[in-house]
Every structure is written in structure tokens, then in C-alpha cells.
Amino acid sequence: MGKAGRHPVSGQREGDAVSRRPVPAPEQLPRLIPADGPLNFARHIDRYGPVPFRGYGDPRDWRRGVTDMLITTVERSGLTGRGGAGFPAGKKMRSVADRQGRRSGFFGSPAGSVVVANGVESEPASGKDAVLLNRAPHLVLDGIQLAAEAVGAPEAYLCVASEDERLTQRLAAAVSERERAGLNQVPVEVMPVYGSYVASEESALVNYLNEGPALPVFVPPRPFERGVRGRPTLVNNVETLAHIALIARYGPTWFAAIGTPDAPGSALVTIGGCVQRPGVYEIPLGMRMGDLIRLAGGLAERAQAILAGGYFGGWMALPDAMDAPVSGPALRKLGAGLGSGIIVVLPESACGLAETARVVRYLGTQSAGQCGPCVNGVPAIADVLEHITWKRADERSIRWASRLLPLVEGRGACHFPNGPVAMARSALRVFGGDLRYHQRHGPCPGVRHRPVLPVPQAARPPGEQETARGGGRPPVVLGTK
Amino acid sequence: MSHILRVNPIRCDAHGVCADLLPELIELDPWGYPVIESDRMPDALLPHARRAVAACPTLALLLERERRRAGA
Amino acid sequence: MTSVASAGGAGVIVITSSSPIWYITRATGLVSIVLLTGTMALGLLSAVRFDAATWPRYITGALHRNLSFVALVFLGLHIITAVADSYTPISLPDVVIPFISSYRPFWLGLGSIAFDLMIALIITSLVRTRLGYRSWRLVHWGVYLCWPVAVIHGLGIGTDTRTRWVLSLTCACVALVVGLIIWRLAQGWPSNAGVRAASALTLAIVLLVSGVWLANGPLQPGWAKRAGTPSPASVKGTP
């Protein structure tokens, strides 16, 4: 199979050029989201061709071994995860691939790995995964097939938020279409995930697929070691998989031709706040923040700060932030981050402390409630922030806030409490001027501004069966260069 | 071979027995949950640590051999 | 020397030799109940997180463990003397297999059940760190069966039940454990309200039924025969 003849599914001969379609210019954007509307199956095949399997083994028969070529290719491309953690994608694939074939548990028999595509996107301010799954689902599905071949997984799951039933149906239909055309080497099950903010955390998803609740579990072992049914599991954001689908066709050099050395390639960002055209855009990593804002139509009013990285990122003060390169490593050095590509611009007329307090209060309700330091600590941070913002910003409260933050940071089973801590810390730093105003005069007029950062109104705590993610998502407007 | 003391925050129920038995390394936060002072364990405290691990009512305190940081 | 068993009336005359073994069995049985009660009380104190300046948390746990071993020693003596005593036809299999004895089979059987449970509890607790928390906890719930079964065994099989001081002692033990169980159920209310309410109801029912049984059973004359004490003739013939 795949040794001397043609690949059983893709029909490719070993050694063939991976893609017979013309390779697009590397600088041409967007890469992932088609500029001319959603791509259905036929148009996808027309534009990209069949899935470029390596042909070194059918993952349904995982004993044949792992295909190393794609993993090396992804490693050379420098692709990092687009789900927020930014872990090198190739390295993750390799850790899973190295473990496939091991016994799952003491009494288990040797088994293959599992691929889980994470499209749940439970951050309220993020919209990129929804856009990707609506406009270019087959790129994601290609990526799933390629990743499964690479890590030796005989099955895969595509997890999406349960509220969008139409999307779930469309994706299931897309999977069936590919099955009929013989394009799927491994079966893909589309899983609607009921849950909340923490449901899209890696270990929570695996827990959910293991017939448990969508709540994080104690790691180690991490999913790449023991995940779904005890098997090595690769959990990737859907955007990461879409990039893999392109890297497999056009190569790592093409991928890294844009971006920066430590953050290569393009990425989807969701920009919101006081810009003229909020929405999802695809940008080359390392793009200047000011240029991104211009891409989104420029500022709608005068702005004071930028939240980069969503509710797990941090604030940056303007006007300095305008020169910040939009990439994970660069933004992290500036005390923020890119996370899953969320940028929100805060107008001068709003109050950064009030926004932060509101978000931390929301996050407090989203704690899985399993760990004391989180379920107690995050609401305690919200308490002190609310006190500072709407009551009195006295020395004692500010000191208590700084003592409180390291008590909450890193003491949960998952990274969830680190988000509100980082946001609060950066707020106290960046909005120092506001803090002094609040100390002297009490709440500033900005606290009465309507909320800029989306916070679901009827947010329900985790463990309840339905997700309640109310409004606040930015409209899906796609920009191109 | 050095050991690492960790707490499983999901299983921990703030009984506080560990802080009683190993006050050199474990303190309680304002809500009664353990804050482990340092990752390293001096060998002299090892028997006390083992006792604390056995005494935890929910088996949330873990004493592990230090292992190389795995990826992901 | 003959003596009339304290629970016996006109029906059966139990002939005892001057062997002290029978007295040791009864005495160690009572002590076991007291020690088991103490162990259970300490376990409940741990669950309600009892803490005082002179009584830090870890003492409860350590004492609970050590007391359970002492209880096991006395229980062992109780069982060994009961088997060794040539008078009552209690043999070794009766110790672990319930209801097969010819001596007050039901009430002795309860003792066997309590003993089996206790062995399971102790073994799982010894290997707790290797067993894993969930499995250990599942078995440990068995204490809510083990202790009442042991008490009922004592009341039903004991020949001293009608003595005032034995009755008072048993009642004190029951009162202590029931009081602590109520404390445990009340603490943290209304979380898990359904389970707590069901447990409280079960507790009430068990107490009521036991009380009624006690009043109409062991405390009434003629209990020894009704409990299944074999007549002297059959005793002699028992292997």
C-alpha cells in the first residue's frame, strides 16, 4: 500500500508533486478564508485538489506505522497552535505519533491515536473559528485527515459549539460528502459540545469525549499521552489544522514566507471595539497593530488602550501599542499576548477598570468550580476590582488586589484562573492613571459607558447542559488586503 | 533523586491536614487551600511529606519523583 | 456449676462450665462495640472537619486509624474465644460466612457480615494510596452498614442485653454516632439536599425499627429461644 503503486484513496503516486494546482503567491492574503464566499466541496476540490496524503500507510491500519514526512514538514514550517497556547504544532504531532501503538491502560490492547479538532471557541470576543468553519470547512477537514495519517489515528472528532445547530448539520453534511467521494481516510464525527467557557479547554474536551462532563481534569497525563479512551490524542484548534492542510500542499517555505521568524505564517484575528469595521481578518503575523486597525477601517473614536489576547491576554496602552507587532511572542513581551487572536480597542470614553471588572466577574461564573483557589479566587478578584471601580479605590483595596493575584495564579487544575489574573494585573498597570483618578475622585464618567468587551448576559455556570453565550460576538465581516 | 510535592486542586477539599503536618512547606490561603512553598523537597522533610500524603483525607497531596518536563 | 443465662427464662437452661472463655467472648464483644463506636465517631469528626486549639486536624485521622487497629485486636479475641469455646457450636467458617451457624444463626450471621466488612475496610485503607481514592471511598461507605450491623449483632446475640449497664452503654454508643451523623448531614446543607434528606430518613427509620425490635425482642423474656439458641441436647451433639 503506497509503496510501489498508487495511494488507495488519493490516487497519488509516491514521489508525485504534492499539488498539481498552481501555488498561490505567499504574500497573497487571505490564505484560509476564500475572498469570494464560502467554498463548498466542489469548489474546494477545484481550488485545492485532493487531500495530499503522504501514502505511507492507512491510519485505519495503524500498525503500518506513522508517516513522518508531514510531521517534519510541519515542524520546519514553524506553525504554532492557533487555539491560544501557541505550542509548536509539529512538536505536538510528534509527541502523539511517538506514542501511538502503546497500550491504552493496564488491560488495554495496543491501539492507535485520536485526532480532535477544537472548533468550540467559547471566548465571547472570538469569532474566527466560526468564520473558518462556515467559509472553508473543507480545509479544516483536509487538515484533520492529514493529521490523522501523520499520527496514526484511525478516528477523529470535530468539536463545535452546540448552539449553532445549522453549522453542526452543515459540517456533518460536508463530512458525508467527502466520505462518498472517497476523500476521507478516517471517519470524522462531528460532536456538538454543550458547555461553557472551560468546555473548549483541551482536557475538558477529551473528558467530554470520554463520556464525562466538559470539565478540565488534572494533568498530567496530558491528552497527548492519555486522552480519548486512554489513547494518545492530538487536540488542535481548527485554524491550526487548516494551516496544516495548506502546508501539506504548498510546503513549509511558502508558509513561512510571511510572518516573522518566531511567528511564521498568517493568522486569523478577531478585532472589535471602537474600529469602523470590526470582524475577522486574516493577517500576516508580525503586522503592525496600527496597520491592522487601518485594515479594520481605522478608529471610530479616540482610543486609550488595546486588549490583546482576549480574556487571557492583557491590556496595552495607546499610543505605544500602535507600533506593537501582532504576534504571540511580540505581544507577550509587551505584557499581553495574542491568544486565539482577539484584539479589542478601548475608546477613551470608556473605563478600562470597569471593563476589566465586568469581564472578571463574568469569568468568575465560568469557573468549572472544581478547584478552591479558582472558584474562590476569581470572584474575589472581581470583588476587589468592582470595589475599586465603583466604590473606593483606596490603598487597602489596591494592596489586597496585588496580594490576591499571585494566590490565584497557577493554582487551578487548568489555566483558566490565569486569564483573569493576567487581565487584572495588566489593567492595574496600564490604567494606573485611572486608578489615581478613582482614588481621588471616585468612579470616573467612563464607568457608565456601555460595555465594550462582550460579556454574555445570561451566562450560566458550567455543568449545565446548555451553553448560554449571549450576544456580543463581532459581526462576521471579512477583510482582505 | 529529588522529589516534588504537588496538590491535585480538583481533589483537594481544604481539609488542611497537610498544612498541619508539613508547615515548613505548606501554608493555607485565605480559603483554606494549600499553597506549596517550594517545588524542591529537602531530604530531611521526606518522611514528614510521606506522612502528610498518607494523611490527606482525599489523597490530593502527591509526592512525585521529579521527571523531565514532557512537551505540550 | 450451672447458671441460668441472663436472657433465659423458663425455656432453656444454659449450662456453662467454669471456663472463663465465654465471659471473655462477651466482654471483648462489648469492648469491640465501644472501640468501633469510637472509631466511627472519629471518622465522622474528620468528615465534619472538627478542629480545636487543643485538637488539630491530623489527630482525628491518626487516632481513627490507630483505634481501628485496637478494635480489630479485641474483635479478634472476641472471635477466637467464641470459636474456641467448646460449648457454643460456633466454628471457623461461621466467622466469615453468615447464617450457617447453628447457634442463633441470624444474629451470629450479622456478626460475620460486620467482620467481613471490617476486614475489607481495613485492607483497603492500608493500601489506600495504591488503590486510588474513588475505590477506597466506595468501600469505606461500608462503615455505615458495618457499625449498625455490629450493634444489632451484639443486642441480638448478646446474653447480657437485658442488663441495665450493657443497655445504657449500647444506647450511649448509638447516641454518640447518631448525633455525629446528624451533624455531618446538617453541615453543608443544602448542598446535595436529596442525598442528605434520604440519609436522614433512612437513619430515622433504622432507629425506629431497631427500637421497636429491641423492646419486643431481646428485652422480652424468652428471647434466647426465639434467637435460635440450640437446646442442650442438640448442643452436645454438635461437632
Side-chain angles (χ1 to χ4, degrees):
Chain A
M1 263 229 261
K3 288 252 167 39
R6 291 179 170 276
H7 188 275
V9 176
S10 70
Q12 248 168 259
R13 227 198 299 262
E14 196 185 313
D16 271 355
V18 181
S19 174
R20 290 204 194 83
R21 303 299 197 277
V23 177
E27 320 79 40
Q28 189 193 326
L29 280 170
R31 292 173 163 185
L32 295 175
I33 316 271
D36 46 347
L39 285 185
N40 62 12
F41 184 52
R43 290 178 62 204
H44 171 86
I45 293 291
D46 190 53
R47 177 172 301 196
Y48 295 111
V51 184
F53 289 111
R54 267 35 190 173
Y56 284 101
D58 183 350
R60 277 167 307 200
D61 183 14
W62 59 270
R63 268 172 290 253
R64 294 278 177 141
V66 143
T67 60
D68 201 291
M69 259 190 60
L70 181 64
I71 300 181
T72 318
T73 307
V74 173
E75 276 172 338
R76 276 179 31 218
S77 71
L79 171 69
T80 56
R82 298 285 193 252
F87 193 80
K91 194 162 167 196
K92 202 174 193 182
M93 286 169 80
R94 195 173 283 288
S95 337
V96 177
D98 283 345
R99 284 171 172 76
Q100 62 102 37
R102 299 229 182 124
R103 294 179 177 277
S104 60
F106 193 74
F107 295 108
S109 46
S113 338
V114 177
V115 169
V116 174
N118 186 354
V120 179
E121 193 173 46
S122 39
E123 269 235 44
S126 180
K128 68 173 178 84
D129 292 339
V131 168
L132 184 61
L133 288 171
N134 273 299
R135 305 279 182 111
H138 289 282
L139 264 186
V140 176
L141 293 169
D142 284 352
I144 293 177
Q145 294 295 324
L146 289 163
E149 186 192 35
V151 304
E155 62 184 285
Y157 298 88
L158 171 54
C159 298
V160 288
S162 62
E163 314 129 308
D164 198 340
E165 279 175 23
R166 281 210 321 266
L167 177 63
T168 311
Q169 283 161 9
R170 274 209 300 274
L171 289 172
V175 171
S176 314
E177 225 179 344
R178 295 165 66 99
E179 286 270 354
R180 286 195 299 273
L183 218 65
N184 277 355
Q185 264 196 328
V186 302
V188 179
E189 187 174 340
V190 179
M191 290 283 303
V193 177
Y194 302 92
S196 55
Y197 195 90
V198 289
S200 62
E201 195 265 341
E202 191 177 72
S203 70
L205 265 189
V206 168
N207 202 12
Y208 186 77
L209 291 170
N210 277 335
E211 315 279 330
L215 297 175
V217 295
F218 186 52
V219 290
R222 287 229 147 83
F224 74 84
E225 297 172 278
R226 277 176 61 83
V228 178
R229 288 193 297 287
R231 290 146 59 176
T233 304
L234 178 71
V235 184
N236 270 141
N237 180 267
V238 290
E239 187 192 336
T240 316
L241 291 164
H243 282 295
I244 290 178
L246 293 181
I247 291 173
R249 288 176 166 93
Y250 307 137
T253 327
W254 171 91
F255 176 76
I258 58 175
T260 66
D262 56 358
S266 65
L268 296 176
V269 298
T270 314
I271 181 163
C274 61
V275 291
Q276 296 284 3
R277 290 195 305 269
V280 176
Y281 296 82
E282 184 168 358
I283 61 162
L285 284 173
M287 181 185 208
R288 197 178 148 269
M289 182 73 73
D291 294 338
L292 169 60
I293 292 180
R294 207 156 22 93
L295 186 63
L299 293 173
E301 53 182 287
R302 284 178 42 167
Q304 54 169 312
I306 295 185
L307 179 70
Y311 300 166
F312 268 67
W315 293 101
M316 296 187 300
L318 286 168
D320 294 342
M322 280 298 185
D323 291 321
V326 179
S327 78
L331 290 173
R332 272 196 294 274
K333 274 200 211 88
L334 295 170
L338 186 55
S340 48
I342 302 169
I343 308 272
V344 185
V345 185
L346 188 72
E348 264 187 14
S349 48
C351 175
L353 296 169
E355 294 290 325
T356 310
R358 240 177 251 125
V359 168
V360 174
R361 175 59 68 195
Y362 157 69
L363 291 175
T365 67
Q366 295 300 298
S367 162
Q370 305 185 111
C371 307
C374 173
V375 74
N376 290 305
V378 177
I381 298 177
D383 285 339
V384 68
L385 284 177
E386 280 170 1
H387 185 88
I388 288 177
T389 309
W390 282 285
K391 295 219 179 72
R392 298 196 50 220
D394 49 346
E395 264 307 311
R396 240 188 58 181
S397 315
I398 300 176
R399 248 181 298 129
W400 167 234
S402 3
R403 269 192 27 230
L404 186 54
L405 294 177
L407 272 182
V408 180
E409 189 173 27
R411 290 185 61 220
C414 73
H415 292 299
F416 179 75
N418 300 346
V421 166
M423 213 178 151
R425 198 178 267 141
S426 67
L428 292 173
R429 188 186 68 235
V430 164
F431 300 114
D434 286 312
L435 207 54
R436 278 189 293 279
Y437 180 98
H438 279 246
Q439 260 180 302
R440 262 179 240 130
H441 309 282
C444 67
V447 306
R448 286 189 291 278
H449 193 280
R450 60 157 178 80
V452 176
L453 296 173
V455 168
Q457 278 303 335
R460 298 217 205 120
E464 302 217 356
Q465 277 313 295
E466 316 148 292
T467 346
R469 297 206 312 261
R473 275 185 193 262
V476 176
V477 169
L478 183 65
T480 53
K481 225 179 177 177
Chain B
M1 170 111 51
S2 58
H3 290 76
I4 289 189
L5 202 58
R6 276 198 318 155
V7 65
N8 178 342
I10 296 182
R11 253 205 225 140
C12 176
D13 239 348
H15 286 265
V17 182
C18 58
D20 275 345
L21 290 175
L22 200 55
E24 296 90 343
L25 296 177
I26 303 182
E27 262 187 18
L28 295 180
D29 70 8
W31 309 287
Y33 292 86
V35 183
I36 302 188
E37 291 294 319
S38 83
D39 290 313
R40 254 3 80 150
M41 161 114 22
D43 283 337
L45 288 177
L46 210 50
H48 292 281
R50 289 214 178 91
R51 203 170 143 215
V53 168
C56 174
T58 49
L59 290 180
L61 191 64
L62 305 163
L63 186 64
E64 292 165 348
R65 292 258 162 78
E66 186 175 17
R67 48 184 224 168
R68 247 177 335 121
R69 286 285 157 105
Chain C
M1 180 174 98
T2 65
S3 64
V4 176
S6 53
V12 174
I13 293 182
V14 175
I15 300 177
T16 65
S17 66
S18 52
S19 154
I21 288 186
W22 187 229
Y23 294 96
I24 298 181
T25 308
R26 285 151 60 182
T28 49
L30 273 168
V31 173
S32 297
I33 287 288
V34 172
L35 291 172
L36 273 175
T37 301
T39 308
M40 181 129 178
L42 287 163
L44 284 163
L45 277 180
S46 182
V48 299
R49 294 157 193 248
F50 177 71
D51 201 352
T54 48
W55 188 289
R57 290 295 313 281
Y58 63 86
I59 288 188
T60 317
L63 210 53
H64 169 82
R65 248 182 122 234
N66 294 340
L67 203 62
S68 71
F69 289 135
V70 180
L72 189 64
V73 167
F74 276 90
L75 185 58
L77 278 172
H78 172 73
I79 292 173
I80 289 171
T81 49
V83 170
D85 187 359
S86 51
Y87 189 71
T88 51
I90 300 172
S91 59
L92 213 48
D94 302 335
V95 173
V96 287
I97 305 174
F99 312 133
I100 60 170
S101 169
S102 44
Y103 182 82
R104 304 199 188 186
F106 181 70
W107 308 104
L108 184 66
L110 289 184
S112 315
I113 291 177
F115 179 62
D116 292 340
L117 281 168
M118 188 140 167
I119 294 296
L121 286 165
I122 291 199
I123 290 184
T124 49
S125 295
L126 284 172
V127 297
R128 195 166 81 118
T129 40
R130 270 169 257 276
L131 187 62
Y133 180 62
R134 272 202 204 100
S135 322
W136 170 83
R137 198 175 161 83
L138 196 65
V139 177
H140 226 74
W141 284 116
V143 73
Y144 288 110
L145 190 62
C146 174
W147 179 82
V149 164
V151 172
I152 303 285
H153 157 82
L155 291 172
I157 202 175
T159 40
D160 303 293
T161 306
R162 283 174 73 186
T163 341
R164 179 169 271 146
W165 66 272
V166 168
L167 206 53
S168 316
L169 188 60
T170 312
C171 284
C173 289
V174 171
L176 178 63
V177 171
V178 167
L180 287 169
I181 291 181
I182 292 176
W183 183 358
R184 191 190 189 308
L185 288 174
Q187 202 192 54
W189 177 275
S191 81
N192 293 347
V195 180
R196 288 175 198 265
S199 311
L201 193 62
T202 314
L203 179 65
I205 293 177
V206 167
L207 277 175
L208 196 64
V209 168
S210 312
V212 167
W213 163 78
L214 187 65
N216 293 320
L219 292 181
Q220 297 296 334
W223 174 250
K225 182 158 183 227
R226 281 187 288 145
T229 317
S231 61
S234 58
V235 164
K236 290 271 173 31
T238 310

